[in-house]
Amino acid sequence: MTTYLSKELSEGLAAARLAGLKKASRLRVLADDSFYPVLRMWKDGFSVEASEAAHLRGLVDLYEGSRHLYQCLIVAAEEEGGEMRFDFKRHTAASETPPLVDYSREPDAPAALLVRPE
């Protein structure tokens, strides 16, 4: 039995693999007002389809659905199998509230302030 695959068949398998990764992932990258689907993500980086976003670099935002996860500074690492891999130079978790260490808070401050309409 031979393990040789024709060029057309191997390209078809690679395209099907990329389509499956795109469909399974909810992650996406926002750069220059455009979203790009993330195929895979790991501790030090992520990958996108090379034909769609090979030009990415710099500051980008990483989303899961509509939830903002990280603000990232990225650099392109390598292209392999139709995927462009990017490494994080830094990635900071996004928060919807300001950090408490940046603002002083009184120890007896109320949890919420309700104002009576006049």
Side-chain angles (χ1 to χ4, degrees), residues 63-75:
Y63 287 85
E64 180 181 18
S66 63
R67 189 170 60 108
H68 190 199
L69 295 178
Y70 297 105
Q71 187 176 50
C72 313
L73 187 60
I74 61 170
V75 62

Side-chain angles (χ1 to χ4, degrees), residues 13-26 38-39 49:
L13 288 173
R17 183 184 63 81
L18 287 176
L21 287 172
K22 281 172 69 172
K23 194 173 189 177
S25 178
R26 289 182 35 95
V38 173
L39 301 177
E49 190 171 357

